[in-house]
């Protein structure tokens, strides 16, 4: 992370350089920058107060897509940029160094950082079962559209981060279409479990199940 403070309403922009090691490099295309964002939530109470009023960490927003108000450093508060690096399997172990160029208030500042790559490759297969309830039909609320390619993109994003979405990205939740999705991912060693869709109308639809 890079944390900025001491500014009042100034908007942050940043660029990332390649990470350079001994006779090799990890390209800037393997590095993503995110704006850390907080949402102010009111107190929730159903009888006793269950959740007090507070600023709650929200999703990490790609810095280049974040609105200006989500990239501004407020007086008396910190603003953090999250750096995410995907180390290619072909990258030799060793120490790498790079720069983040921060632009704020008409000034530019290079922040140097280092990365140590160990002589170890994570296998594609992982064994930590998870179940993130990914509601594909709700993607339209945030993206403005939802098609098959977008559903697969979200599912693959989870797989890249060694997480599992509950439902496979099927074209539709019919037995035949879902079986097609199962066939597509059946031999993918990253996919160790998945949910079966069903319909709830007060009780399980036995035929669908």
């Amino acid at each position: 992370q890079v944390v900025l403070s001491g500014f009042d309403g100034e908007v942050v922009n940043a660029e990332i350089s390649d990470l350079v090691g001994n006779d090799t490099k990890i390209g800037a295309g393997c590095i993503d920058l995110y704006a850390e964002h907080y949402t102010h939530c009111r107190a929730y109470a159903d009888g006793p107060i269950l959740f007090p009023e507070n600023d709650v960490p929200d999703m990490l927003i790609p810095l280049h897509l974040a609105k200006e108000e989500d990239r501004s450093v407020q007086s008396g508060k910190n603003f953090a940029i999250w750096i995410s690096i995907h180390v290619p399997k072909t990258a030799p172990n060793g120490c790498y160094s790079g720069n983040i160029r921060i632009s704020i208030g008409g000034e530019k500042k290079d922040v140097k950082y280092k990365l140590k790559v160990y002589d170890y490759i994570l296998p594609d297969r992982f064994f930590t079962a998870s179940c993130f309830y990914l509601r594909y039909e709700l993607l339209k609320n945030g993206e403005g559209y939802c098609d098959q390619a977008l559903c697969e993109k979200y599912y693959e994003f989870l797989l890249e981060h060694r997480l599992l979405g509950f439902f496979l990205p099927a074209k539709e939740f019919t037995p035949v279409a879902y079986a097609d999705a199962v066939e597509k991912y059946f031999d993918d060693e990253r996919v160790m479990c998945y949910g079966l869709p069903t319909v709830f109308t007060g009780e399980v639809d036995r035929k669908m199940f």
Side-chain angles (χ1 to χ4, degrees), residues 63-202:
L63 191 65
H64 69 285
L65 296 177
K67 299 177 182 178
E68 285 196 357
E69 57 263 34
D70 295 329
R71 290 187 287 113
S72 61
V73 184
Q74 301 303 319
S75 178
K77 294 186 177 181
N78 293 333
F79 176 83
I81 297 174
W82 182 276
I83 308 166
S84 179
I85 304 170
H86 173 76
V87 179
K89 291 182 178 181
T90 55
N93 62 298
C95 291
Y96 295 75
S97 60
N99 291 320
I100 300 176
R101 173 159 290 183
I102 306 291
S103 302
I104 184 169
E107 299 181 12
K108 293 185 177 181
K109 175 74 174 180
D110 285 342
V111 179
K112 296 183 179 180
Y113 72 103
K114 293 183 179 181
L115 172 73
K116 184 174 183 179
V117 175
Y118 291 90
D119 188 17
Y120 181 80
I121 297 176
L122 286 174
D124 290 332
R125 189 178 184 185
F126 55 94
F127 298 92
T128 49
S130 58
C131 175
F132 283 77
Y133 194 47
L134 183 55
R135 291 279 298 275
Y136 296 109
E137 72 274 14
L138 298 182
L139 296 181
K140 188 175 181 180
N141 294 348
E143 297 283 2
Y145 75 102
C146 182
D147 58 14
Q148 180 65 19
L150 184 66
C151 294
E152 292 179 357
K153 184 177 180 180
Y154 267 76
Y155 187 78
E156 290 288 341
F157 178 85
L158 289 178
L159 288 180
E160 289 171 5
H161 291 80
R162 310 176 78 81
L163 302 171
L164 293 164
F166 184 62
F167 292 126
L168 296 172
K171 290 184 178 180
E172 54 185 4
F173 281 0
T174 62
V176 172
Y178 204 74
D180 289 339
V182 171
E183 186 175 30
K184 177 179 178 178
Y185 286 98
F186 191 80
D187 292 325
D188 191 326
E189 59 183 354
R190 300 172 299 170
V191 181
M192 63 177 298
C193 62
Y194 50 84
L196 292 176
T198 186
V199 176
F200 290 94
T201 56

Side-chain angles (χ1 to χ4, degrees), residues 1-4 33-39 56-63 66-67 69-72 78-83:
Q1 298 178 79
V2 175
V3 180
L4 306 173
L33 301 178
Y34 297 91
E36 295 189 24
H37 183 262
Y38 291 80
T39 297
V56 177
D58 204 343
M59 68 180 73
L60 293 171
I61 305 170
L63 191 65
K67 299 177 182 178
E69 57 263 34
D70 295 329
R71 290 187 287 113
S72 61
N78 293 333
F79 176 83
I81 297 174
W82 182 276
I83 308 166

